[in-house]
Amino acid sequence: MKRIYKTMAAVTAGLLIVGLTVSTIVFHSQKESLKNQLGAVYTKAFEQLLTDVDSLKAKLYKLNASSGTGQYTMLLMDVWRQTGDTESSLSALPVSYAGTSTLTQFINRTGDYCRYLSEKLTSGGTLTQDDYNQIRQLAVSCGEVYDELGTLYTTGYPDENGFAEDVFLASDEEAGNLDFSNQQFPRLIYDGPFSESTENKQPEGLGGFEVAREQAARTAAEFLGVDAGTLADAGEQNGLIPCYGFSGVRDGKSFEISISKQGGQVLWYMCESCGGISAIPTDEKYAELTASARQFLTQKGYGQTAASYAQFYDGMAVINLAPVQDGIVLYPDLIKVWVDIPSAAVVGMDAQNYLMSHKARDLNGLTVPEDEARQTLTAGIEIKGVRLALIPTDTNEEKVCWEYTGSKDGQDYIIYIDARTGAQEDIFVIQHTNNGTLVM
Amino acid sequence: MYKIRKPLAVLLMLLAVLFCCAAAIPAASYRMGSSGDAVREIQRRLKDWGYYKGNVDGYYGALTQDAVIAFQKKHGIAVDGVVGAQTAEKLGVAPPSGGGSSSDKDVYLLARLVHGEARGEPYKGKVAVAAVVLNRVESSLFPNSIAKVIYQSGAFSVVSDGQINLSPDQESLRAARDALNGWDPSGGALFYYNPAKTSNKYIRSRPVILTIANHVFCK
């Protein structure tokens, strides 16, 4: 008997050893194969980045030598498209934010700037000497980036271990030596969505002076109709619009509210949600919800507002309302109001846009009458509504436009015609989803 | 041998019962003449959303059918006046079957990130995590789409450990939607970290905007 046991033990141990060896070999070869595949994906991205930066450099140099508005505009749009590809290749690399953020910014701003210039040219403007100088600087900088990447490439990065090894680094370790954090890039002076002036926009709607926490607590209590003594300190926030936070309970539901330190205004307030289904209410019910939201805003001193689109989820409607001045809808000051659908009670508000943009505005001097603007619309569009609206451009400017809602070939649109120049300013495609309306 | 087989048989029977139950759920539908608590729930929802004007009495009559038809028209569901699987799901009387339309793609991806990164955090902290992603999309220092920001190398640990692929819960979905609607409780933050879990010097050197539970949000 004992002998049988011994034999069985030996056989079992033998089988275990063989099994372990086989599985280790299989596991290792699978790991190697995955590593190679991933390495290939990343190496491809790196080589693509080299190609993209090379093309970008060539296009910028062509711009530097080009004359004639038509050719120049085409090249500018070409650079803009090329920066999009380059940014995609860069973002596909397994390299950290710290090493590449300045390069990402350089690429984004180069494209943004060229798009800005091309829009300037197509709307009849001319380029300044500064613009030409900036284009030359961009070409030079792009050349430097290409040389840097080229050096990495020829010195064997990514080498046989290159990116594949990086994939197996612990998350806190810095990957590779692709580091542009010390590279000097030209500082571009222009107005675009990614320009310094736009990114560093400061709030214009705060006004007043700095308030102390006690005063902010009184504002919060008054806004919510609760006793200031019942509010708890929910910390503070030192971001774009520095705020004091308060929390409390009203009608058995917890809430939180943020009051700006400058001017003591409500940035947002949010009640605990009851939850619920994500379904669209009837038009009649929606009118009731909108009326409730508008009444709430009037009570809180935001004046008259007009409702635009809404989303419906978790038992709530999130309604976008824009203040109205002299019959003109002010989209830059859009306020979002969360309304509980069953009770039509307001359960939240976000006034960040309002605090960022609201100011006294001169809305006079509209020279293009409605019937004239209508003439410029595309043929075959069925107009369902028109009103005047102030819209924000992507460079933080504002334009008064005739806002047309209509449909063409079964698709709903909103089209904006500048009421001062008659130029078509923007087009939105309206998407009707199961959760409400989206504008794109 | 017998001892081994018995639990196996029990297990097989259990599996069979489970299978039958699972198959039975979608079969339930409510129509003219149906009654009971489920009908009452359907009527209550339809009334809250403005479709049903009658009494919530638990009896599926003509008024209820009209309301169901109007509800189906509004939501692009095949109009038959019967509360089948799709209508029941939209009315919240059947569990969601998962998936969504392609216009919800951003919501879903963002919600998966929130679910992985901020499970157990307070609701405001979840919205703030989603807002950081959106602030990055808007910033020139980061890639220009939600997908590129989320999948940027080393940006979010849930991408490398695979938690990003978990199904998001209801709260994460709502947080993603609230952030996409513009609510930013992070105060414009581009980074956040858990001080107990990170030793990254770069991120720890950034100016702090606020702390929400376990996460520090910074510029």
Side-chain angles (χ1 to χ4, degrees):
Chain A
M1 268 317 247
K2 270 185 185 172
R3 220 160 138 196
I4 290 174
Y5 281 134
K6 269 186 183 169
T7 319
M8 272 177 72
V11 168
T12 314
L15 280 174
L16 265 174
I17 289 165
V18 171
L20 269 172
T21 314
V22 169
S23 66
T24 308
I25 291 168
V26 169
F27 177 73
H28 183 74
S29 76
Q30 274 177 346
K31 186 188 157 193
E32 279 304 302
S33 161
L34 278 174
K35 202 167 125 178
N36 290 338
Q37 282 177 45
L38 259 178
V41 169
Y42 292 138
T43 305
K44 182 197 145 211
F46 184 76
E47 293 191 8
Q48 188 59 49
L49 178 65
L50 260 177
T51 312
D52 287 335
V53 172
D54 199 16
S55 308
L56 188 59
K57 182 182 82 171
K59 282 165 185 164
L60 284 165
Y61 271 112
K62 281 185 194 177
L63 262 182
N64 196 37
S66 163
S67 55
T69 310
Q71 168 83 358
Y72 211 86
T73 313
M74 265 172 55
L75 277 168
L76 284 168
M77 291 311 284
D78 214 11
V79 170
W80 179 59
R81 272 190 299 274
Q82 186 64 57
T83 54
D85 289 350
T86 315
E87 186 259 333
S88 285
S89 308
L90 181 61
S91 70
L93 285 176
V95 286
S96 78
Y97 159 84
T100 54
S101 61
T102 52
L103 182 56
T104 305
Q105 187 173 55
F106 168 71
I107 296 164
N108 280 333
R109 284 196 173 152
T110 300
D112 196 30
Y113 176 58
C114 288
R115 195 174 70 128
Y116 155 83
L117 290 183
S118 108
E119 279 171 7
K120 193 169 158 181
L121 284 175
T122 43
S123 61
T126 49
L127 304 195
T128 62
Q129 193 51 47
D130 284 344
D131 289 328
Y132 292 114
N133 291 343
Q134 294 199 122
I135 289 284
R136 195 178 57 245
Q137 283 173 6
L138 288 177
V140 171
S141 281
C142 196
E144 285 167 10
V145 171
Y146 181 73
D147 292 346
E148 185 94 358
L149 292 171
T151 310
L152 285 173
Y153 187 74
T154 47
T155 53
Y157 180 80
D159 59 14
E160 58 192 74
N161 291 317
F163 291 128
E165 277 306 316
D166 291 345
V167 178
F168 294 92
L169 284 176
S171 58
D172 273 358
E173 282 180 71
E174 290 300 320
N177 43 6
L178 197 65
D179 185 357
F180 285 87
S181 55
N182 294 319
Q183 180 105 14
Q184 291 296 315
F185 292 109
R187 198 173 156 197
L188 292 173
I189 313 288
Y190 74 107
D191 279 315
F194 289 136
S195 65
E196 270 186 58
S197 56
T198 308
E199 293 202 313
N200 296 331
K201 193 196 170 188
Q202 294 304 308
E204 295 183 272
L206 294 174
F209 33 82
E210 196 148 325
V211 299
R213 176 168 270 280
E214 295 70 38
Q215 197 183 335
R218 282 195 295 275
T219 306
E222 197 187 329
F223 186 87
L224 294 159
V226 296
D227 180 13
T230 64
L231 292 175
D233 182 345
E236 50 186 79
Q237 181 258 89
N238 293 304
L240 192 57
I241 300 175
C243 284
Y244 299 108
F246 302 95
S247 62
V249 177
R250 187 182 60 174
D251 304 332
K253 283 219 183 83
S254 60
F255 64 79
E256 226 177 285
I257 184 165
S258 273
I259 307 289
S260 71
K261 292 181 179 177
Q262 182 73 30
Q265 307 229 38
V266 179
L267 175 63
W268 56 261
Y269 109 86
M270 215 54 82
C271 277
E272 176 192 349
S273 154
C274 321
I277 59 171
S278 300
I280 307 171
T282 56
D283 292 348
E284 195 187 341
K285 181 78 190 190
Y286 178 55
E288 182 194 339
L289 303 175
T290 308
S292 163
R294 291 182 62 200
Q295 193 193 355
F296 173 83
L297 291 180
T298 311
Q299 266 175 15
K300 302 300 174 197
Y302 295 96
Q304 283 300 311
T305 50
S308 63
Y309 54 97
Q311 290 263 301
F312 310 98
Y313 52 87
D314 284 270
M316 290 176 302
V318 184
I319 306 175
N320 291 266
L321 298 120
V324 179
Q325 179 192 330
D326 308 331
I328 300 176
V329 183
L330 308 176
Y331 283 115
D333 300 356
L334 208 63
I335 302 167
K336 284 120 201 282
V337 177
W338 278 249
V339 187
D340 177 59
I341 292 178
S343 66
V346 171
V347 292
M349 182 190 86
D350 178 74
Q352 178 160 325
N353 291 326
Y354 187 86
L355 298 188
M356 285 302 288
S357 307
H358 189 68
K359 60 189 165 198
R361 296 176 172 102
D362 178 15
L363 301 174
N364 292 314
L366 309 181
T367 46
V368 181
E370 197 274 310
D371 53 351
E372 209 173 290
R374 195 180 281 252
Q375 299 297 317
T376 67
L377 295 173
T378 174
I381 189 158
E382 189 197 333
I383 301 300
K384 290 170 185 163
V386 57
R387 61 182 179 182
L388 277 170
L390 185 74
I391 60 166
T393 68
D394 54 13
T395 55
N396 284 336
E397 283 174 65
E398 297 178 340
K399 284 180 174 167
V400 184
C401 293
W402 288 107
E403 178 191 66
Y404 291 94
T405 42
S407 66
K408 185 179 179 181
D409 300 325
Q411 172 65 56
D412 288 340
Y413 294 97
I414 306 178
I415 300 177
Y416 293 93
I417 307 290
D418 193 318
R420 286 188 172 117
T421 66
Q424 187 163 299
E425 225 18 82
D426 219 335
I427 301 179
F428 289 118
V429 170
I430 303 179
Q431 280 195 343
H432 301 284
T433 74
N434 255 341
N435 289 103
T437 318
L438 285 176
V439 283
M440 295 188 81
Chain B
M1 284 306 258
Y2 182 74
K3 273 180 187 169
I4 298 167
R5 265 195 190 155
K6 199 174 175 187
L8 199 72
V10 172
L11 192 74
L12 278 172
M13 268 171 66
L14 264 173
L15 274 174
V17 170
L18 272 174
F19 184 74
C20 290
C21 288
I25 288 170
S29 67
Y30 306 92
R31 62 187 75 227
M32 276 282 255
S34 299
S35 60
D37 284 346
V39 174
R40 195 167 283 123
E41 192 59 26
I42 288 166
Q43 288 173 328
R44 192 175 64 76
R45 294 276 159 84
L46 288 169
K47 199 178 176 101
D48 281 349
W49 263 248
Y51 293 91
Y52 180 62
K53 306 281 181 215
N55 293 325
V56 178
D57 54 9
Y59 179 74
Y60 201 122
L63 272 178
T64 309
Q65 181 174 275
D66 289 349
V68 168
I69 288 172
F71 183 86
Q72 289 172 329
K73 275 187 188 155
K74 193 86 180 176
H75 292 88
I77 300 168
V79 177
D80 58 3
V82 175
V83 178
Q86 215 185 343
T87 310
E89 186 187 330
K90 201 70 198 164
L91 277 168
V93 290
S97 59
S101 69
S102 59
S103 63
D104 283 347
K105 175 177 69 61
D106 284 347
V107 174
Y108 201 69
L109 175 56
L110 206 48
R112 272 164 37 210
L113 178 89
V114 170
H115 186 69
E117 288 276 324
R119 235 178 5 257
E121 291 292 309
Y123 184 64
K124 183 174 78 163
K126 290 182 173 159
V127 181
V129 162
V132 164
V133 172
L134 300 176
N135 291 336
R136 286 187 176 191
V137 173
E138 294 290 312
S139 163
S140 65
L141 292 163
F142 290 89
N144 308 328
S145 75
I146 292 177
K148 282 196 266 184
V149 162
I150 287 178
Y151 290 106
Q152 194 180 20
S153 179
F156 298 99
S157 61
V158 293
V159 172
S160 39
D161 67 19
Q163 286 194 60
I164 184 97
N165 299 318
L166 298 175
S167 279
D169 57 14
Q170 206 56 31
E171 200 171 71
S172 303
L173 281 163
R174 178 153 58 90
R177 288 206 158 97
D178 276 347
L180 283 162
N181 269 314
W183 182 27
D184 179 7
S186 82
L190 287 174
F191 298 91
Y192 64 85
Y193 60 91
N194 183 336
K197 285 182 185 167
T198 198
S199 58
N200 188 313
K201 283 195 194 110
Y202 178 80
I203 203 166
R204 279 176 166 268
S205 69
R206 320 269 331 165
V208 172
I209 295 175
L210 85 164
T211 302
I212 304 174
N214 291 315
H215 284 150
V216 174
F217 291 83
C218 38
K219 288 178 189 169

